[in-house]
Amino acid sequence: MSAKSAINKAVFTPHDEKMLVAVQVKRRTKKKIPFLATGGQGDYMTFICLSVTNKKPSHVSITKVKQFEGSSTFIKRSQWTIDQLRQVNGIDPNKDCPEFDLTFENAFDQWVAGSAGEKCTFVQILHHTCQRYSSASKPEFVNCPSKLLGEDQAVDSIFVRCKVFLNRKRKQLVEHLGHLLRQGNSILHSAADSVTSAVQKASQALNERGERLGRAEERTADMMNSAEQFAVTAHKLAMKHKC
């Protein structure tokens, strides 16, 4: 199980929440923590998570979750509602970078994500969620690449994916129809060959029958001629004896 799946199961599912996205981060400026929840100092991983309640009306939260080295437990450290978020700073609107800042009513954090891709995914989902769920004034997104915020880009992306899918299905359909057509042609050729063979056999049988009938007619004619000659000879003999 991945860390993000484990966080969702351990931190959010028990509270009837669903995690929408999480990004592993580090502070851009090192912050010293003299005392940790485990009772001493140590390394830890930090995740910024976005979640929503399953029950209506939906409530969206941004939560800071930590996992200390050597522990399988995830600890919820800080949490804000989406309406407390004031600004998301993407640092550079012209290129993808892992840095971003989050400004809340009572907090300000500067973060570095594990990669530019993880940060972009988090910002994009966060922006979409804010547009959908923010009841008060929506937070400001500054210095973020337009591809992460624009609805047109999202629609274009969906359109491109749909087009690729349809083209793939059309190709599969054409291949399937071609296969069926080839099978059909094979069946037609086979049927034509069978019909031709049957016609040839029938013709041959008729020819053979005709030949047999012809020979029978010839034999019948011969027999009739012989009978006629026998009758003539018998008549001559009978006339001779009378004389």
Side-chain angles (χ1 to χ4, degrees), residues 109-129:
D109 288 315
Q110 296 177 313
W111 300 110
V112 179
S115 67
E118 290 183 73
K119 171 250 182 139
C120 289
T121 299
F122 177 78
V123 171
Q124 188 173 36
I125 296 177
L126 178 59
H127 178 265
H128 174 75
T129 304

Side-chain angles (χ1 to χ4, degrees), residues 112-224:
V112 179
S115 67
E118 290 183 73
K119 171 250 182 139
C120 289
T121 299
F122 177 78
V123 171
Q124 188 173 36
I125 296 177
L126 178 59
H127 178 265
H128 174 75
T129 304
C130 289
Q131 299 305 308
R132 181 177 179 183
Y133 291 105
S134 292
S135 57
S137 58
K138 292 177 173 53
E140 182 183 19
F141 284 76
V142 299
N143 298 322
C144 296
S146 58
K147 66 180 181 180
L148 304 182
L149 310 180
E151 294 181 354
D152 292 340
Q153 286 80 2
V155 171
D156 289 344
S157 177
I158 294 172
F159 177 79
V160 170
R161 289 197 296 270
C162 290
K163 187 175 181 180
V164 170
F165 174 81
L166 291 175
N167 285 337
R168 184 168 66 250
K169 289 299 180 183
R170 182 175 63 181
K171 183 179 179 181
Q172 292 175 351
L173 179 61
V174 169
E175 291 175 352
H176 182 62
L177 290 176
H179 178 67
L180 292 178
L181 183 59
R182 287 192 295 273
Q183 283 187 331
N185 288 337
S186 177
I187 293 172
L188 289 174
H189 286 310
S190 178
D193 292 340
S194 298
V195 171
T196 301
S197 177
V199 170
Q200 290 175 346
K201 289 180 180 179
S203 178
Q204 183 179 357
L206 289 173
N207 291 334
E208 291 174 354
R209 183 182 179 188
E211 291 175 359
R212 288 196 297 269
L213 288 173
R215 287 195 296 270
E217 289 175 355
E218 290 175 357
R219 285 197 296 271
T220 301
D222 292 339
M223 290 174 65
M224 291 177 67

Side-chain angles (χ1 to χ4, degrees), residues 227-241:
E228 186 177 356
Q229 290 176 3
F230 178 79
V232 170
T233 302
H235 179 71
K236 287 180 178 181
L237 287 173
M239 294 297 294
K240 189 175 182 180
H241 284 295

Side-chain angles (χ1 to χ4, degrees), residues 18-80:
K18 176 177 64 177
M19 190 177 73
L20 302 177
V21 67
V23 58
Q24 184 176 347
V25 295
K26 291 183 179 180
R27 292 185 181 275
R28 293 213 300 276
T29 55
K30 206 69 176 178
K31 184 177 180 181
K32 294 182 179 180
I33 303 178
F35 180 82
L36 299 179
T38 55
Q41 293 182 345
D43 293 330
Y44 57 87
M45 292 188 296
T46 303
F47 299 86
I48 304 297
C49 308
L50 182 66
S51 63
V52 61
T53 58
N54 291 317
K55 292 183 178 180
K56 306 295 183 180
S58 301
H59 297 283
V60 180
S61 301
I62 299 173
T63 307
K64 186 190 303 180
V65 175
K66 291 188 177 182
Q67 182 185 34
F68 294 99
E69 186 179 21
S71 174
S72 60
T73 303
F74 294 95
I75 301 173
K76 185 188 296 185
R77 300 295 290 178
S78 305
Q79 189 173 58
W80 300 269

